[in-house]
């Protein structure tokens, strides 16, 4: 990549946003390659910061400094903005060669701020594709008003709104995630888990220490898939930042997903305990609406056939929908089959209605779908209603089979 150099020397600034191998070029030529997006007109802290960086690239140093100072008046704990302001002021007296060129600043801290600058600017270089959706959102159930999709690789959290079962982009936010990356395997590895999760609680500021900021929303890690693979740990939350911190570096948590308090408050308005899905990926994959519909339509007949065969009381047909590696509540396929056959013998009729169906493709896998629905079961000797969750896996022969089933 080309180097990012803004040459202004007492009127010329060399301000570099260099993060590892990534360099955001801001020579006049490279600056033209950075799209000036309408989103920059939105007066959010990140947009204001990126706007100032664009002004630096256009050599409008005075305007950039005014913008950064205005940003700091409303967000005095925004450390990245302080760093850029310091570079702009320092450049008045001497040339500087890199972002955070002041003496006495921890190299590790500077590296963290450069990393934050990179991912924030990258968001505006690579806007959210509005004609596509995250491929995981196959179908949102009617009670899921919103879905959360997190990209740990880009330090980004996306909110999608449920519009008649289809996902529509609403907003996105900068996040911090695990110090040691993603794909959590065990307790204490300081990694963020990848998978399909759900909000399990809403913990207000009053019940937390200042470290968690304006609130916290735990998720159900480890989920059924994690437990099957022996993954351990607990306490994975979406939460805010301490009162003296606007944002944390991209890799700074012990595994949680961390937002600024301002952003968490906005996201909190979309979260429903026990309902809102949180899908975490290390690289969000996008798909067209037609591709999403095709994937959904591939599984839908299998779900309906499972329901119909359960009603038929034909145990062989019903149990054929379960994979050989099925497990639930300590039961493998053999024990599950034995139990279901015994139950069916005692019934003269069964009626099963399912509604409010949601389907979520598991991040990192094209052969695993998490299905949730409301189940209304009645029979000659029992009736109940419950919210159920199933994991369907596609076998090598192309057939979808249930490998987990239980109450949601």
């Amino acid at each position: 990549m080309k180097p990012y150099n803004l040459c202004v020397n007492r009127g010329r600034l060399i301000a570099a946003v260099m993060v590892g191998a990534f360099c955001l070029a801001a020579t006049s030529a490279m600056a033209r390659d950075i799209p000036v997006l309408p989103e920059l007109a939105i007066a959010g802290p990140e947009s204001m910061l990126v706007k100032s960086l664009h002004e630096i690239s256009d050599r409008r140093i005075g305007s950039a400094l005014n913008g950064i100072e205005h940003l700091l008046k409303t967000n005095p704990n925004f450390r990245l903005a302080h760093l850029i302001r310091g570079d702009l002021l320092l450049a008045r007296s001497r040339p500087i060669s890199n972002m955070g060129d002041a003496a006495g600043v921890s190299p590790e801290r500077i590296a963290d701020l450069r990393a934050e600058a990179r991912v924030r600017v990258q968001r505006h270089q690579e806007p959210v594709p509005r004609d596509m959706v995250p491929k995981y959102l196959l179908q949102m159930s009617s009670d899921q008003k919103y879905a959360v999709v997190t990209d740990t690789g880009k330090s980004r959290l996306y909110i999608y709104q449920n519009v008649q079962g289809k996902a529509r982009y609403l907003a996105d936010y900068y996040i911090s995630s695990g110090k040691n990356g993603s794909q959590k395997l065990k307790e204490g590895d300081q990694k963020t888990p990848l998978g399909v999760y759900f909000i399990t609680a809403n913990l207000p500021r009053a019940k937390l220490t200042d470290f968690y900021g304006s609130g916290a929303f735990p998720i159900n890690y480890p989920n059924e898939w994690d437990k099957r693979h022996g993954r351990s740990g607990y306490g994975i939350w979406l939460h805010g930042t301490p009162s003296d911190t606007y944002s944390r570096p991209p890799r700074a948590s012990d595994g949680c997903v961390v937002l600024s308090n301002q952003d968490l408050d906005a996201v909190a308005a979309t979260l429903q305990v026990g309902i809102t899905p949180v899908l975490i990926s290390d690289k969000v994959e996008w798909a067209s609406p037609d591709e999403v519909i095709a994937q959904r339509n591939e599984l839908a007949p299998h779900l309906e056939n499972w329901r119909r065969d359960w009603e038929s009381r034909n145990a062989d047909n019903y149990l054929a929908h379960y994979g050989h590696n099925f497990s639930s509540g300590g039961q493998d396929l053999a024990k599950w089959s034995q139990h279901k056959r015994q139950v069916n013998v005692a019934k003269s009729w069964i009626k099963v209605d399912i509604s409010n169906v949601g389907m979520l493709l598991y991040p990192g896998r094209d052969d695993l779908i998490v299905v949730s629905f409301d189940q209304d079961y009645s029979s000659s000797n029992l009736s109940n209603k419950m919210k159920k969750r199933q994991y369907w896996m596609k076998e090598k022969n192309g057939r979808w089979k249930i490998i987990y089933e239980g109450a949601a």
Side-chain angles (χ1 to χ4, degrees), residues 4 16 21 60 120 151 161 166 170 189 206 230 236 261 309 323 354 356 361 379 384 386 405:
Y4 173 96
R60 292 185 288 143
R120 287 187 182 276
D151 188 329
Q161 186 175 14
K166 299 177 182 178
L170 183 66
D189 62 7
I236 301 298
N261 291 324
D309 289 338
I354 62 174
N356 196 23
L361 186 68
S379 69
N384 64 39
M386 66 183 298
E405 180 175 318

Side-chain angles (χ1 to χ4, degrees), residues 137-310:
L137 301 177
L138 301 183
Q139 180 172 309
M140 296 171 67
S141 62
S142 58
D143 60 351
Q144 290 171 341
K145 297 179 180 178
Y146 304 93
V148 176
V149 179
T150 298
D151 188 329
T152 62
K154 290 188 174 181
S155 298
R156 214 74 203 171
L157 180 148
Y158 306 90
I159 302 293
Y160 277 81
Q161 186 175 14
N162 184 354
V163 181
Q164 298 180 340
K166 299 177 182 178
R168 183 175 70 184
Y169 168 80
L170 183 66
D172 63 280
Y173 305 91
Y174 167 82
I175 60 162
S176 175
S177 57
K179 293 183 180 76
N180 292 325
S182 54
Q183 191 54 76
K184 186 173 185 63
L185 298 176
K186 59 183 180 180
E187 182 178 351
D189 62 7
Q190 297 183 317
K191 292 184 178 182
T192 299
L194 303 179
V196 174
Y197 302 97
F198 294 86
I199 297 293
T200 60
N202 178 357
L203 305 179
R205 181 193 290 267
K207 293 185 177 182
L208 300 166
T209 66
D210 183 60
F211 178 80
Y212 298 101
S214 63
F217 295 85
I219 62 174
N220 66 319
Y221 173 86
N223 64 20
E224 296 84 1
W225 185 250
D226 295 319
K227 292 173 183 176
R228 177 185 290 251
H229 289 84
R231 295 167 190 159
S232 62
Y234 61 93
I236 301 298
W237 298 355
L238 275 63
H239 65 79
T241 55
S243 55
D244 65 350
T245 303
Y246 176 76
S247 60
R248 295 169 67 181
R251 298 287 177 267
S253 81
D254 287 336
C256 292
V257 173
V258 183
L259 300 94
S260 72
N261 291 324
Q262 176 179 318
D263 290 346
L264 182 69
D265 291 343
V267 170
T270 71
L271 303 180
Q272 301 164 273
V273 175
I275 297 175
T276 302
V278 178
L279 296 98
I280 308 178
S281 171
D282 55 4
K283 182 180 180 181
V284 170
E285 297 179 78
W286 306 90
S288 70
D290 287 344
E291 290 171 323
V292 169
I293 291 171
Q295 177 80 78
R296 182 174 71 223
N297 290 345
E298 182 181 336
L299 180 62
H302 293 273
L303 181 62
E304 171 56 22
N305 290 340
W306 165 82
R307 185 202 66 79
R308 183 200 62 206
D309 289 338
W310 191 4

